[in-house]
Amino acid sequence: SQTPPVTPQLVDPDTGEEIRIAMKPIALGEGDWLAPIERLLDLYLKWIEGLDSDSKINLSPSYQKAAQRHIKSCFECAERIKAGVKLLKDDPTVREAFRLTNHSMLLQQLAGSQKTRSINYDRRERRVEWDRDPTHPGLELEESEKRSWRPFQIAFLLMSLPGLSDEKCGDREIADLIWFPTGGGKTEAYLAAAAFVSFQQRLNDPNDCGTSVIMRYTLRLLTSQQFQRAAGLICAMETLRMDRLDRLGKNPFTIGIWVGGTTTPNSKAQSVEALRRALKDGPEAYSHVLLRCPWCASEMGPRKADRGESGSNRYVCEGLRRVGSGDSADVLIHCPDPACSFHDKLPVLVVDEAIYDTPPSVVIGTVDKFAMLAWREDTR
């Protein structure tokens, strides 16, 4: 037998149009921004009721028990979504965190969709140049009008709101599984949940910082790929925080990757040594993960040095800078473009020692690293 293809697009049976939950109106609180969400819930309930009726008529008795079990689960999901919608209406903090989540996810999508901006050295001017100027993600961009949630993504976020916002909620006993084919948008769904948790934590107490989200993977390559995507969301959240210091506090949102010495440095000393090796040997020795700025899409990492550009080193490490000296030396990760908001410093941590010193808002790591919690006190 074959499994039929699954698409994230759904059509409103009454209008024949694709169901589209635009992010921008929610982010700005424009008009009746809740109406499309409530319409989605209404259509979901009608679909479940149709399944229930159809199964009782057309399914053989041997399938009835399984069908009713699944339909019961659908109704429970619908009730959780309904509870999430009610929270948006009744709880101003949840509503604000939800709108900030939409805003940051929209900015993250705009940032992530940009083509990498390559760097070249102008020998005549003796300066580094980019192939194009940066485009700063913002709601004023025409592209922001096109960004919307896929129905399952916004449904997942809505049904998660009660459990994420109330530590006494019974939903916290549930482990939700997002089951969808590759490329359907699962990552955005749970990144949205991560953003909501972080925003609500700060709205409740602007000084409440530290790690609030753990993302755990089995493969180091996948972890590194997801880190680069999640770093774009953290940059978006940081951009919003810097405009709302009174509401979100002075402590930055940050993300740390925790995968071990073969992928990222374990200590500041190893980080400095990794920078030295990358300047000498190039991409093969690069271990600071980010290959482009998650905000403005500038190229990052080792680049072959042009004649007259970098003295005796064969490579230039764009976006990495050694700071301090001796035992206190460290590597600063920043966007190489002075026009970028994160030229001074990117809100990312890739060195284990730095993660232990200042626990990031989001930790993304591999299963084997979490086993260290039982053996190393500083990891706790």
Side-chain angles (χ1 to χ4, degrees):
S1 63
Q2 291 184 342
T3 301
V6 179
T7 173
Q9 281 77 36
L10 296 177
V11 173
D12 188 323
D14 295 341
T15 65
E17 296 180 355
E18 182 180 326
I19 298 172
R20 182 174 178 271
I21 313 292
M23 293 178 170
K24 186 173 180 178
I26 302 175
L28 295 175
E30 289 182 341
D32 191 2
W33 57 271
L34 260 176
I37 292 173
E38 293 180 308
R39 174 62 177 163
L40 177 64
L41 173 59
D42 182 54
L43 289 173
Y44 183 43
L45 282 167
K46 288 180 179 178
W47 177 76
I48 302 170
E49 291 164 358
L51 278 184
D52 190 22
S53 175
D54 186 58
S55 67
K56 290 173 180 175
I57 296 172
N58 297 318
L59 281 181
S60 65
S62 61
Y63 296 130
Q64 287 291 334
K65 186 175 180 180
Q68 288 305 307
R69 185 174 72 250
H70 291 306
I71 288 168
K72 179 175 179 289
S73 294
C74 288
F75 275 120
E76 289 172 354
C77 287
E79 286 301 313
R80 290 174 64 192
I81 294 172
K82 187 184 295 184
V85 172
K86 187 175 187 302
L87 271 176
L88 292 177
K89 293 179 178 179
D90 298 343
D91 190 319
T93 302
V94 169
R95 184 164 58 248
E96 186 175 0
F98 182 75
R99 287 178 52 195
L100 287 168
T101 296
N102 276 263
H103 196 161
S104 62
M105 289 299 298
L106 193 160
L107 296 180
Q108 181 261 350
Q109 288 193 9
L110 294 175
S113 65
Q114 297 184 74
K115 181 182 176 182
T116 301
R117 300 164 54 229
S118 61
I119 299 174
N120 298 292
Y121 182 71
D122 187 325
R123 293 183 185 177
R124 178 176 295 180
E125 298 293 332
R126 295 186 178 181
R127 68 185 182 191
V128 167
E129 292 184 341
W130 282 258
D131 63 351
R132 68 183 190 280
D133 292 334
T135 299
H136 301 292
L139 299 186
E140 72 281 355
L141 297 178
E142 184 179 342
E143 181 67 21
S144 68
E145 305 284 347
K146 305 174 186 177
R147 299 293 166 172
S148 59
W149 292 106
R150 291 174 173 175
F152 85 87
Q153 293 172 332
I154 190 69
F156 171 78
L157 179 57
L158 290 166
M159 67 187 282
S160 301
L161 293 184
L164 294 176
S165 61
D166 180 5
E167 62 183 22
K168 297 180 181 179
C169 179
D171 287 0
R172 292 203 171 198
E173 298 300 314
I174 300 171
D176 284 310
L177 169 67
I178 307 177
W179 190 89
F180 215 86
T182 298
K186 297 184 294 295
T187 299
E188 281 72 21
Y190 64 73
L191 283 182
F196 176 83
V197 165
S198 301
F199 278 129
Q200 191 197 36
Q201 180 175 317
R202 293 294 184 88
L203 289 170
N204 286 329
D205 181 358
N207 296 315
D208 186 3
C209 57
T211 299
S212 47
V213 178
I214 291 174
M215 295 162 59
R216 191 175 63 183
Y217 294 89
T218 52
L219 301 175
R220 291 182 179 183
L221 176 60
L222 177 63
T223 306
S224 299
Q225 292 170 339
Q226 297 290 45
F227 172 73
Q228 296 192 51
R229 296 175 70 178
L233 174 62
I234 295 298
C235 286
M237 293 170 64
E238 260 298 271
T239 301
L240 298 182
R241 182 194 66 83
M242 288 187 284
D243 287 337
R244 298 166 176 80
L245 295 177
D246 58 327
R247 297 289 290 136
L248 299 175
K250 297 179 180 179
N251 295 301
F253 289 115
T254 54
I255 183 170
I257 182 169
W258 196 36
V259 292
T262 58
T263 304
T264 59
N266 283 332
S267 67
K268 294 177 183 179
Q270 288 180 9
S271 179
V272 172
E273 174 59 20
L275 172 59
R276 188 193 66 77
R277 290 198 308 271
L279 287 169
K280 180 176 180 290
D281 301 326
E284 293 300 317
Y286 184 66
S287 62
H288 289 81
V289 184
L290 286 180
L291 297 174
R292 65 177 241 164
C293 173
W295 190 243
C296 77
S298 170
E299 180 184 359
M300 289 179 62
R303 174 177 60 82
K304 196 82 171 177
D306 204 334
R307 180 162 48 86
E309 185 180 3
S310 65
S312 60
N313 291 325
R314 284 183 283 177
Y315 290 89
V316 174
C317 278
E318 304 289 0
L320 297 183
R321 184 167 67 241
R322 175 172 174 158
V323 293
S325 59
D327 294 339
S328 63
D330 198 359
V331 174
L332 179 68
I333 302 177
H334 66 101
C335 176
D337 189 349
C340 179
S341 306
F342 296 96
H343 175 61
D344 290 337
K345 186 178 182 180
L346 278 161
V348 300
L349 301 173
V350 304
V351 179
D352 290 10
E353 188 179 339
I355 290 173
Y356 306 150
D357 289 345
T358 53
S361 313
V362 177
V363 171
I364 176 169
T366 45
V367 172
D368 58 321
K369 292 294 283 191
F370 285 93
M372 292 174 60
L373 289 166
W375 306 103
R376 290 192 56 174
E377 185 175 349
D378 52 359
T379 65
R380 299 170 204 164

